[in-house]
Amino acid sequence: MDLEEAMKERLHLEEKYRAEVRKQLEAASQGSSDKLSKFLNSSFGLWVLSAIFISGAGTIYQNWQKSVDAEKATFQQRLTEESINRQAIERLDIEISFRLSQALLQLSVIAERVSVQLKDKSADERTLAVADATFGVLQNLASALRNDREALYSEHSGYSLPTLLAELRRRLPEANRAEVERSLAALAGVANSTMFSSGGSIPEQTASILLEKVVLNRWKGTAFHHIDCSSKTPFC
């Protein structure tokens, strides 16, 4: 046998070997596939698949339920916080209306009685006494209350009117804060306004300024004394 025939014989044997190996691998693969198919179609196989599916589906459902519960809890907490904030705003509005009404009532009493009580004094002395009493009312508005009984709500007993306004502003939505800021600024400037303009009653002038520049519509309609009066007739 020459060299060329020997090479051909060798190649033929290698090809035959590879074919045999391929055949065995395919037979093994087919056998594994058949075994897997039989296993999956068996009762035990179906039970295993069901267990795997149910376990996986259960985990997915539990995770989804936890997510839903967390969202519900967050939503409920937000609702609770918003409800608490609305109630706080409502009580602040009523407390502020009450404080302003008390100040207006005190000013009306000063206008009606102080000059009469001091009729034996000179005009300058009466004017000074009325001005002093008026400033006292404004000072009380800007100061913390002396005792709990002066507050409409006990939680506001330590609050001055400016503090109440600042707390209301903090709780209000951004769009509603500007008017409260203007009211707070006006309150700070009342004492330096036209209280001592010539003519007119100092307490009445002061009440007019409060009603025109400080009292907001949100504080009207509470049935407190003078809170619904106009700046032209502050003691209606």
Side-chain angles (χ1 to χ4, degrees), residues 218-235:
R218 65 185 301 129
W219 302 324
K220 293 181 176 289
T222 54
F224 295 137
H225 292 292
H226 305 306
I227 200 67
D228 292 321
C229 296
S230 70
S231 59
K232 294 180 180 180
T233 55
F235 303 138

Side-chain angles (χ1 to χ4, degrees), residues 44-192:
F44 180 70
L46 291 173
W47 178 83
V48 171
L49 287 177
S50 298
I52 293 173
F53 174 77
I54 292 172
S55 176
T59 300
I60 293 172
Y61 175 78
Q62 288 177 356
N63 291 336
W64 174 80
Q65 188 63 50
K66 287 180 181 178
S67 176
V68 170
D69 290 343
E71 289 180 1
K72 284 182 178 179
T74 300
F75 180 71
Q76 187 60 46
Q77 182 179 2
R78 186 164 63 249
L79 287 180
T80 300
E81 291 174 352
E82 289 175 355
S83 177
I84 292 172
N85 192 58
R86 282 195 302 271
Q87 292 176 15
I89 289 173
E90 181 179 354
R91 292 168 76 89
L92 282 166
D93 277 329
I94 296 174
E95 182 74 36
I96 291 169
S97 178
F98 174 73
R99 300 282 185 93
L100 288 168
S101 169
Q102 290 296 102
L104 292 169
L105 181 60
Q106 291 166 12
L107 290 171
S108 70
V109 171
I110 294 170
E112 292 174 3
R113 300 180 184 178
V114 172
S115 291
V116 175
Q117 292 171 351
L118 300 176
K119 62 182 179 179
D120 296 332
K121 301 292 184 178
S122 68
D124 289 342
E125 287 176 322
R126 289 196 301 270
T127 298
L128 184 61
V130 169
D132 187 60
T134 301
F135 271 116
V137 172
L138 295 177
Q139 190 174 27
N140 287 338
L141 274 180
S143 304
L145 300 181
R146 291 186 294 271
N147 57 69
D148 293 348
R149 290 177 297 178
E150 294 179 348
L152 190 63
Y153 296 112
S154 60
E155 67 262 31
H156 301 144
S157 60
Y159 288 39
S160 65
L161 182 59
T163 305
L164 289 170
L165 291 171
E167 176 64 10
L168 177 63
R169 179 200 172 279
R170 183 184 72 83
R171 288 184 174 275
L172 285 173
E174 187 72 29
N176 302 118
R177 293 178 179 176
E179 64 173 3
V180 178
E181 291 170 356
R182 289 193 294 269
S183 176
L184 183 57
L187 178 64
V190 169
N192 298 320

